[in-house]
Amino acid sequence: MQIATFLLTSAAILLTPGPTNTILAASGAAMGLRQAKLLPLAEALGYALAIGFFLSVANLLRDVPQALPAMKAMAAVWLLISARKLWSLPVVPEIPARSGAFARVLVTTLLNPKAMLVGTISIPSLLPDVPALGLLSFVALSALAGLGWTVLGASLPARLRRHSYRMAAMIVCGFAVAAAVSAAQ
């Protein structure tokens, strides 16, 4: 029963719009599904690394009150850098994914607060005896959800697709502001 609760919780987390999902959808729109199809793997790798980290150091981080604000501040800085880069990217579907999209998705996912939530709360509370199963399940679900976000972006009408990176830049900038405000509290 706890695995079912974990899977439902994970699906809800992964389907909630956030910085990684925004970049996946924008990349799908700007690059097309064919060029962006591997980006969900960057998300899965990012979650695997970040959640593994949080599972390993969750107990240590609880005793360091500055850890969470510092991570939020790092995420805010990265999101601002990413938003700036997204703003200036051309929307040309023929350009292969070498435009840095894989790295952008990977780093954004590494710094995504969802990884911290899963690694410090969801897995330890719902699957304390099988954390590896929780990690693997979340990573598999993230690849599927990431593909869904990428397909969603690729399915947008052409008139919206040409503005996808700029729209994503504004949304990601909003997440950066939210992370900065949260870090300051």
Side-chain angles (χ1 to χ4, degrees):
M1 191 55 143
Q2 286 184 320
I3 188 70
T5 302
F6 175 77
L7 292 174
L8 288 172
T9 301
S10 297
I13 290 168
L14 290 164
L15 295 176
T16 301
T20 301
N21 296 337
T22 301
I23 292 171
L24 287 170
S27 296
M31 296 167 33
L33 183 58
R34 186 169 170 211
Q35 294 296 324
K37 67 184 175 208
L38 294 179
L39 296 181
L41 296 178
E43 177 187 30
L45 177 60
Y47 276 130
L49 294 171
I51 293 169
F53 169 79
F54 286 117
L55 285 171
S56 299
V57 300
N59 289 332
L60 298 174
L61 292 178
R62 288 187 187 133
D63 297 334
V64 181
Q66 302 87 354
L68 183 59
M71 287 186 284
K72 288 178 181 179
M74 286 180 1
V77 169
W78 169 253
L79 291 173
L80 284 174
I81 290 168
S82 188
R84 184 182 174 282
K85 288 180 182 181
L86 284 169
W87 185 265
S88 62
L89 282 176
V91 177
V92 183
E94 295 80 34
I95 294 177
R98 68 175 178 251
S99 63
F102 192 91
R104 191 170 21 264
V105 171
L106 175 65
V107 174
T108 300
T109 305
L110 284 169
L111 296 172
N112 194 322
K114 292 178 183 182
M116 186 175 11
L117 172 71
V118 173
T120 61
I121 297 172
S122 293
I123 292 175
S125 64
L126 294 172
L127 302 173
D129 298 329
V130 286
L133 175 63
L135 175 62
L136 291 173
S137 299
F138 191 87
V139 168
L141 286 174
S142 76
L144 290 172
L147 182 60
W149 283 99
T150 306
V151 168
L152 176 69
S155 302
L156 290 174
R159 66 183 181 280
L160 294 177
R161 292 174 78 172
R162 65 178 175 219
H163 304 292
S164 60
Y165 280 141
R166 289 205 170 177
M167 288 187 297
M170 290 186 285
I171 294 168
V172 169
C173 191
F175 286 119
V177 170
V181 167
S182 178
Q185 294 177 345

